[in-house]
Amino acid sequence: MTTIAVDFDGVIHSYTQGWADGTVYDQPMPGAVNGLNALMMDYAVYIHTARDIEQVSTWLTTLGFRCRTIFEGDFWNTRDILLVTNRKLPASAYVDDRGIRFHSWAQVLIDLPNMV
C-alpha cells in the first residue's frame, strides 16, 4: 500500500487569514474534496497539521470523510479513512503548498529565497 501525506493549511483548508487563533475557520481549497477522494481510491492518505487534530478531523467529517486521530503505529496504510495527525509519518509523497523539492543543497539555496 502506498501512502500519501497531505498538509492541511493551504492545501485542504483555504487558510485565507493565516493561523488566526488556531481554529479551523475557512472553506476547503477549490478541488480539495474531490482531490482527496480521488487519492483515497488508490492510496492510504493521512493529513498532517499543526492545528488541533480533533478540530481538523471534525471539520473533515462535515465534508463527508471518515477520519481517525488515534494511531500508535509507524506507517499509515489504511485506505478509505483519513488519519489526521500532528506527526510526519513516512509516505511515498508529501503534498504541501510550502515545500521545496530536494535535489541538492545548492538547488535549495537557489530556490529558497523565492519561497520566503
Side-chain angles (χ1 to χ4, degrees):
M1 174 68 59
T2 300
T3 301
I4 307 298
V6 182
D7 179 45
F8 184 67
D9 283 322
V11 178
I12 300 169
H13 176 248
S14 290
Y15 192 59
T16 58
Q17 299 171 32
W19 180 259
D21 62 358
T23 60
V24 179
Y25 58 84
D26 222 342
Q27 297 298 313
M29 291 290 290
V33 172
N34 289 339
L36 283 175
N37 279 316
L39 286 177
M40 291 173 68
M41 290 175 63
D42 295 319
Y43 306 104
V45 178
Y46 78 85
I47 309 304
H48 58 94
T49 183
R51 292 189 186 270
D52 179 271
I53 60 174
E54 295 298 334
Q55 191 177 119
V56 170
S57 177
T58 298
W59 186 83
L60 288 164
T61 299
T62 66
L63 297 175
F65 293 100
R66 290 181 34 210
C67 298
R68 182 173 172 182
T69 57
I70 298 171
F71 179 69
E72 299 298 327
D74 294 325
F75 301 97
W76 179 251
N77 37 1
T78 303
R79 275 190 22 205
D80 304 323
I81 298 174
L82 287 174
L83 172 65
V84 180
T85 182
N86 56 9
R87 296 170 50 206
K88 190 171 184 181
L89 301 170
S92 297
Y94 298 87
V95 180
D96 195 318
D97 61 317
R98 297 188 184 200
I100 295 176
R101 180 159 175 84
F102 181 81
H103 297 283
S104 68
W105 277 106
Q107 190 63 47
V108 167
L109 296 174
I110 291 167
D111 292 344
L112 186 60
N114 297 321
M115 295 286 297
V116 294

